[in-house]
Amino acid sequence: MERCEKMLEIKLDDKYLFTDSSTSDGSQIKYYKDGYWYKQDNKGGEGRAEYLASVVLKCSTMAKDDFVEYREAIINGKPGCCSRDCLNEGESLVSFYRLWAGTCGGDIAAFLQRMDYDDAIEKVLDFAKEQTGLDLHEYLADNMYISEFIRNEDLHFNNLWVIFGKDGFRRAPVMDNGRSMFVGNDRYSPDKSFEENMKQTHSKIFSPDYNLNFRYLEKWRTVRIDKDALIMALQKEEASVQRDFLLYRCENDMF
């Protein structure tokens, strides 16, 4: 989607409201109409973060079908974003949390707390392979890298999925990056540097340290970000904490 001079404005009737009680931290109001999802900001800035995460992914080696592209929008008078449905007819999203609960019972995150982070990662990958037949090393590694780069603080087991349909399971695209780039982070301070603020961001799965998680998974990563292309794309965007943070990451990313 190309950046528009004028913000897309959408008005939707309540009959298109979608209710989902599975999210962990303040559900956004969502609508679904004609093959598109519409989400209003809850913390403030989620729509912009989703859009800028799409800019990052478009400047990467990730195939277009392997991530969901978002566009900023005003939805019923409130800022947010919209995206095309990633599912084909008859398909459904199955979160890692739901997959675990349906086969093992209980909360996967609570179970993994007993384990070292590297053992927990292998446990999840082995479990996913047993239940779906999919080798998700690359999927998890690519998700972890993108999350580390944009500092996504909402990557948890309800935001990691597989897709189930008539032909079995397939890998889900990378999506739902609205709680990134300090959006919703009450510990963020404009008086501190990005380096200092990054210390106040934490992963929600495995180790809270993004770098530990990613270092273990890096050998399976396939995605690469073209940082020169990303810088050029970001320079066309209006200034914001989120945009400026991504520019900082382009200059200071260690991976």
Side-chain angles (χ1 to χ4, degrees), residues 88-99:
N88 299 319
E89 185 176 356
E91 291 184 328
S92 60
L93 281 172
V94 182
S95 70
F96 282 32
Y97 179 92
R98 179 180 159 197
L99 194 65

Side-chain angles (χ1 to χ4, degrees), residues 9-207:
E9 295 191 24
I10 303 292
K11 293 189 180 297
L12 295 167
D13 190 273
D14 284 351
K15 68 182 180 181
Y16 298 112
L17 269 171
F18 177 82
T19 303
D20 181 5
S21 60
S22 66
T23 53
S24 65
D25 186 15
S27 297
Q28 293 175 262
I29 294 176
K30 301 177 185 177
Y31 299 84
Y32 183 80
K33 181 184 179 184
D34 297 336
Y36 281 83
W37 287 98
Y38 302 87
K39 299 191 293 185
Q40 290 180 340
D41 289 357
N42 178 44
K43 298 290 185 180
E46 291 99 322
R48 180 145 184 82
E50 293 279 26
Y51 166 71
L52 288 176
S54 294
V55 174
V56 172
L57 290 164
K58 287 172 70 175
C59 293
S60 79
T61 57
M62 187 171 286
K64 187 174 182 180
D65 290 341
D66 287 339
F67 66 92
V68 173
E69 189 174 347
Y70 292 84
R71 178 176 175 179
E72 285 184 278
I74 301 297
I75 303 162
N76 290 346
K78 296 182 179 180
C81 61
C82 63
S83 62
R84 187 187 296 274
D85 191 358
C86 67
L87 300 177
N88 299 319
E89 185 176 356
E91 291 184 328
S92 60
L93 281 172
V94 182
S95 70
F96 282 32
Y97 179 92
R98 179 180 159 197
L99 194 65
W100 179 275
T103 55
C104 302
D107 184 337
I108 183 174
F111 177 85
L112 295 175
Q113 282 180 347
R114 313 168 197 169
M115 307 172 69
D116 291 337
Y117 77 94
D118 50 351
D119 292 333
I121 291 172
E122 287 299 337
K123 176 64 178 178
V124 168
L125 289 167
D126 288 345
F127 167 75
K129 183 67 177 291
E130 291 170 3
Q131 298 301 318
T132 69
L134 300 175
D135 183 338
L136 295 176
H137 282 80
E138 290 181 2
Y139 170 74
L140 190 57
D142 289 348
N143 258 290
M144 277 294 182
Y145 172 59
I146 296 300
S147 287
E148 192 281 333
F149 187 83
I150 66 177
R151 278 309 200 261
N152 178 7
E153 296 192 81
D154 203 30
L155 183 66
H156 49 75
F157 293 110
N158 260 322
N159 272 344
L160 286 169
W161 298 276
V162 288
I163 295 174
F164 181 72
K166 62 181 181 179
D167 297 322
F169 289 95
R170 66 181 178 94
R171 172 176 161 168
V174 174
M175 54 185 163
D176 278 359
N177 291 300
R179 289 290 308 279
S180 305
M181 312 164 216
F182 309 114
V183 169
N185 186 329
D186 295 334
R187 300 176 299 278
Y188 170 79
S189 172
D191 298 324
K192 296 180 179 179
S193 67
F194 284 136
E195 181 180 3
E196 292 175 298
N197 276 301
M198 283 175 63
K199 296 176 182 177
Q200 303 302 318
T201 61
H202 305 289
S203 171
K204 282 192 173 179
I205 55 174
F206 310 123
S207 168

